[in-house]
Amino acid sequence: LAAGRTSRGVSLTVADSWVVEQLAELRGPALTSFMKGLAGMLGTTWTLKVLAWSAIIVLIVYRRFRHLIVGLLTFQVVGIVLVGLSAAVRRPRPFGVTIEGAWAGWAMPSRPVALLAAISVVLLYSLVPKGRWRQTGKLLATAVVAVLASARLYLGLDAPSDVLVGVAIGVTI
């Protein structure tokens, strides 16, 4: 990320902008409304808070206190890393396209995608037993995060590298 101010970082920004521009050319009124609905349903602050609090409450009800502590620490660390990285990189939203939808702050990393990925991992590894159910849950969580990421790319809210860094942070931590 430190290379962002040199030619490699500029090349990455140009490639990201090209991808977002290509997606913006596909925009139509019906598809844009649908993508706004998806991004609003999966990536708003309220949705993420409800999911996180639901995970916390379920872990308390089932007395899974070790998982609760790890989950709470995960949410805190992801939040700190997102704010710190956003302040350090200060990457703007994609260039050359009209941004459809609500956004705030810098683009890198994609906060809603990172938080949804982190919440999904916490839910999977603390509440779903190992085996077939967890494997199915991983596929479902991947699909949900991919849908949110695709919607945000289509709307011009994020660039591909913003989404990838967000997923990497959410899943890794």
Side-chain angles (χ1 to χ4, degrees):
L1 297 175
R5 294 182 182 14
T6 65
S7 62
R8 281 182 277 159
V10 172
S11 299
L12 177 65
T13 302
V14 169
D16 279 347
S17 294
W18 180 82
V19 170
V20 176
E21 288 171 7
Q22 297 304 311
L23 288 172
E25 290 180 9
L26 301 174
R27 288 185 186 162
L31 188 56
T32 300
S33 296
F34 178 71
M35 290 296 194
K36 281 183 181 179
L38 281 176
M41 183 174 61
L42 295 173
T44 62
T45 304
W46 285 104
T47 302
L48 297 171
K49 283 182 181 180
V50 166
L51 284 173
W53 279 104
S54 298
I56 291 168
I57 290 169
V58 169
L59 289 172
I60 290 171
V61 167
Y62 284 109
R63 297 180 184 180
R64 303 199 67 164
F65 297 116
R66 286 184 293 176
H67 293 92
L68 174 66
I69 292 169
V70 171
L72 290 172
L73 286 173
T74 299
F75 297 152
Q76 292 299 315
V77 170
V78 167
I80 290 168
V81 169
L82 289 175
V83 170
L85 189 58
S86 179
V89 175
R90 294 184 184 187
R91 181 178 172 157
R93 299 287 163 187
F95 299 114
V97 296
T98 303
I99 296 173
E100 300 282 342
W103 59 273
W106 299 101
M108 173 75 83
S110 178
R111 290 181 187 183
V113 173
L115 291 171
L116 184 61
I119 292 167
S120 299
V121 170
V122 167
L123 286 171
L124 278 172
Y125 282 91
S126 61
L127 298 174
V128 181
K130 191 187 320 182
R132 181 184 302 169
W133 288 104
R134 188 179 289 174
Q135 294 302 324
T136 305
K138 288 177 187 177
L139 293 174
L140 180 64
T142 301
V144 170
V145 172
V147 165
L148 175 61
S150 300
R152 291 185 62 83
L153 287 172
Y154 176 84
L155 295 172
L157 296 169
D158 293 324
S161 60
D162 304 336
V163 168
L164 292 175
V165 170
V167 169
I169 289 171
V171 171
T172 302
I173 293 177

